[in-house]
Amino acid sequence: MPGLRRLYAPQRARVRTDSAGTPLEVDAVAVEAVREEWLVEDRWWTPKPLRRHYFELVMADGRALTVFRLAGAQRWYRQRA
Amino acid sequence: MEIACVIDERLAISACPGRSGGPRPGRAELPDPVEAAAASEAMVRALEGIGAAVESERTGEAFFALDGMRGLYGGSSRGVLEAARRGVGNGVLLAAGPTRLAAYLTAAKWPRPAPIGALRTRLGAPEREAEELVGALERLGVETLAALARLSADQVADRFGPLGLRALRLCRGEEEPLRPRVPHEDLLEEIELPEGTAGHQLDRALELLVDRLLAAPQRLGRTLLGLRLGALLAGGGSWSVEQGLGRPSASARVLRNVLLPRLGDLPGPASALSLRALGFGPPASDQLELSVGGEEPRRRRLGAAVREVRAAQGAEALLKILPVEAASRVPERWALLTPYPELL
């Protein structure tokens, strides 16, 4: 939508993970705990299906952060959710 | 008097045998009616851009008088036509004549002597009535425009009535003066929808469009006289409807109230929605107040503040959060930032 601004738009994030794909570090800040994780699958009926693996994290600096990884890609995003 | 005729064959429905053109079933390579109207509008604007006062009552077809323009383009009709050609591009037919009909016959490359069938689209009558008249003339052996022009008005009036007389006058070169449109500014807002959207989400999208249209700096505080609501359909094709406002308005509430019911006519889910202003009225401050009281003074002060901030900082300076899909599992679809509506 040209000229429109979306709220809560995802922002790229640098995430280091363990072998199971669980975030260990987000933008060089360590992850203290994973509070929750869930999978979102949407628009599967369109040519651009959406599949995201979300993690709600507690960071070492005390912040709560939600990140997701696009299924099939190693790109991570942070998002207020 | 010399009149130029410009025809974009991709858009105009041709009545000339052996020539094709125009949006019609089975011609998938042609734009749909809404796209054709937009392309036709672009053509008319290009002509207005060279200084022509353009009459265009059919998609893909335009007329303008060359008189008065020659001085701008080398003193000759040819200079004007070349300027028009440069303006509209090479894909169009262009010719001049002493009347609209003569210019049209030349531009559309009708054979000479022109057959009576050339009148089908020139009479300004419903297709069926024009077809009946042309058919009747052909059956009576009046096969060319020249043959019709030789008949007396009494004979034609007796047999064919007012439409026949109109045809006769056209063939004799008697036409009403051109009725050029008043060139207008284009104020259009569009929204692409994420996928086939219908129902409540469309209402939200329309609300957003109205806000953006009213916040557009080109509006210059003027009221609107009419709107064209259009949609690209998710299943292919497009749809549009024109809506007058009854009285000039720049109230988001009024615009929404008249447009929302029209969404019910949409034949299917939409992938894009557009809203175009069809005319401007006086500035909003010139309108009469219907009622004053209650929250009105506060609302007016707020409206003035909104306009002031917007004038100083731009249309995007004041935004509001518009809920779009609160139930979506994808957070970025929950809400959009949209221009704060102008309060009146």
Side-chain angles (χ1 to χ4, degrees), chain A residues 33-52:
Chain A
V34 176
R35 288 184 61 189
E36 205 177 344
E37 64 176 280
W38 67 96
L39 199 63
V40 169
E41 288 191 73
D42 201 0
R43 300 198 226 174
W44 46 266
W45 60 92
T46 74
K48 289 186 181 174
L50 182 148
R51 196 157 186 267
R52 295 175 177 177

Side-chain angles (χ1 to χ4, degrees), chain A residues 1 10 20 25 32 36 45 50 59 61 65 75-76 78 81:
Chain A
M1 295 186 200
E25 208 176 84
E32 186 71 26
E36 205 177 344
W45 60 92
L50 182 148
M59 308 302 292
D61 60 8
L65 193 64
R75 287 201 300 276
W76 285 84
R78 63 167 72 201

Side-chain angles (χ1 to χ4, degrees), chain A residues 54-75:
Chain A
Y54 276 89
F55 294 86
E56 188 180 333
L57 309 171
V58 177
M59 308 302 292
D61 60 8
R63 287 178 300 147
L65 193 64
T66 303
V67 297
F68 69 82
R69 181 172 58 82
L70 287 179
Q74 285 308 311
R75 287 201 300 276

Side-chain angles (χ1 to χ4, degrees), chain A residues 1-10 40-43 45 50 52 54 79-81, chain B residues 190-195 208 212 316 319 321 328-337:
Chain A
M1 295 186 200
L4 290 183
R5 289 188 224 166
R6 287 188 182 277
L7 282 177
Y8 318 123
V40 169
E41 288 191 73
D42 201 0
R43 300 198 226 174
W45 60 92
L50 182 148
R52 295 175 177 177
Y54 276 89
Q79 185 168 40
R80 185 180 157 194
Chain B
E190 290 174 300
I191 291 181
E192 287 173 22
L193 304 166
E195 61 240 18
L208 186 67
R212 288 171 59 185
E316 297 283 307
L319 303 171
I321 296 171
S328 174
R329 295 187 304 158
V330 184
E332 67 263 33
R333 293 203 209 155
W334 290 346
L336 291 169
L337 285 172

